[in-house]
């Protein structure tokens, strides 16, 4: 865990502070919403919706820890009514919470998508294991580079983590296309497709944010862009993605219930 650079402006500190606060609010409110919706979907989709809430609950906890760590790492004060000055306290900023969060939540994100698609059992189990392990490996390979200041080392670990990353993205974008077309209604198929592509889009944000420090940015500005970028990507990949999982479960529940009500 590299020490924070000195020289943060109040605007840079405040942007990160507000980005982390936004993460807490988005993940926490999403958790409550998903679990309140459990009675409104059929039993077949409650596991997927429960996992969606677990993902955002885990994220809420870790965002609270990151937010607290960020607050403890600085003192912000104004003298005689002048501008705010930001100084390091010497306390460490523990960004490792993000990787603990991702190690738990990223495989669960993929599993909830597979579960809500309601594929054949053998395919569900196979995809859950393959995508879950690949995504966990991706996170594990990314962490050693994240804590390095040596740019060549960061590039090395970035390249390694991109191998399982590309496998997961290819499976989402191409491998699940046929299964998407077999959903019980056009609306369900459209929502599943949107969930797949939202995952691909939000995931593609992470590698670019990861390499912020390798494209000419350094010091406080790089840290700010990294923290705000990860926060936005997380909200898209977990809270917004979870809303799509709920919408899929709700649509498919309605289709199944209407089928049961049709006269035989």
């Amino acid at each position: 865990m590299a020490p924070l650079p000195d020289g943060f402006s109040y605007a840079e500190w405040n942007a990160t502070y507000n980005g982390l606060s936004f993460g807490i609010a988005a993940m926490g409110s999403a958790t409550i919403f998903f679990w309140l919706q459990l009675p409104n979907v059929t039993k077949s989709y409650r596991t997927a919706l429960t996992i969606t809430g677990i993902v955002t609950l885990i994220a809420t906890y870790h965002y609270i820890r990151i937010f607290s760590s960020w607050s403890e790492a600085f003192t912000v004060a104004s003298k005689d009514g002048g501008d705010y000055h930001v100084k390091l306290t010497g306390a460490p900023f523990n960004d490792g919470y993000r990787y603990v969060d991702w190690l738990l939540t990223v495989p669960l994100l993929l599993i909830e998508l597979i579960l809500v698609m309601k594929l054949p059992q053998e395919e569900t189990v196979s995809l859950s294991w393959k995508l879950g392990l690949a995504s966990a490996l991706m996170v594990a390979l990314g962490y050693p580079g994240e804590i390095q200041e040596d740019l060549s080392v960061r590039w090395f670990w970035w390249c390694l983590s991109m191998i399982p990353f590309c496998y997961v993205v290819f499976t989402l974008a191409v491998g699940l296309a046929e299964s998407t077309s077999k959903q019980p209604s056009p609306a369900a198929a459209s929502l599943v497709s949107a969930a797949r592509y939202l995952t691909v889009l939000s995931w593609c944000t992470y590698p670019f944010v990861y390499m912020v420090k390798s494209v000419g940015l350094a010091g406080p500005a790089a840290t700010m862009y990294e923290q705000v970028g990860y926060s936005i990507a997380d909200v898209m990949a977990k809270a917004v993605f979870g809303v799509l999982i709920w919408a899929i479960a709700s649509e498919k529940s309605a289709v199944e219930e209407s089928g049961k009500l049709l006269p035989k």
Side-chain angles (χ1 to χ4, degrees), residues 38-63:
L38 281 172
N40 298 329
V41 300
T42 60
K43 187 176 179 181
S44 302
Y45 304 107
R46 287 176 188 167
T47 300
L49 201 55
T50 299
I51 292 174
T52 306
I54 290 172
V55 165
T56 50
L57 178 64
I58 293 171
T60 302
Y61 167 77
H62 284 112
Y63 264 87

Side-chain angles (χ1 to χ4, degrees), residues 60-225:
T60 302
Y61 167 77
H62 284 112
Y63 264 87
I64 291 171
R65 297 301 300 268
I66 297 169
F67 180 85
S68 297
S69 185
W70 181 260
S71 299
E72 292 166 2
F74 298 91
T75 57
V76 181
S78 172
K79 290 185 178 179
D80 303 321
D83 293 338
Y84 286 101
H85 296 281
V86 181
K87 293 183 179 179
L88 295 173
T89 63
F93 172 56
N94 188 355
D95 198 28
Y97 289 124
R98 284 199 186 278
Y99 278 81
V100 175
D101 176 84
W102 293 338
L103 193 61
L104 295 170
T105 59
V106 171
L108 290 175
L109 284 169
L110 298 171
I111 290 171
E112 71 190 56
L113 175 59
I114 294 165
L115 288 175
V116 84
M117 289 179 72
K118 204 175 182 182
L119 303 172
Q121 184 176 359
E122 185 177 345
E123 187 178 0
T124 295
V125 173
S126 175
L127 279 172
S128 295
W129 275 107
K130 289 177 182 178
L131 294 180
L133 290 174
S135 59
L137 180 62
M138 174 190 70
V139 174
L141 289 172
Y143 182 67
E146 186 70 67
I147 60 176
Q148 296 292 328
E149 291 298 313
D150 187 323
L151 297 184
S152 62
V153 177
R154 287 179 68 86
W155 275 113
F156 172 77
W157 288 107
W158 182 88
C159 291
L160 285 183
S161 66
M162 287 301 290
I163 297 171
F165 172 87
C166 289
Y167 166 74
V168 173
V169 168
F170 177 82
T171 302
L172 289 172
V174 179
L176 291 176
E178 184 180 352
S179 299
T180 300
S181 65
K182 296 178 180 178
Q183 295 301 303
S185 73
S190 177
L191 287 166
V192 169
S193 182
R196 287 167 48 222
Y197 288 114
L198 174 64
T199 304
V200 171
L201 178 64
S202 60
W203 277 35
C204 285
T205 306
Y206 292 97
F208 290 103
V209 176
Y210 185 96
M211 295 314 299
V212 158
K213 295 177 181 177
S214 302
V215 293
L217 288 174
T223 301
M224 177 197 69
Y225 284 120

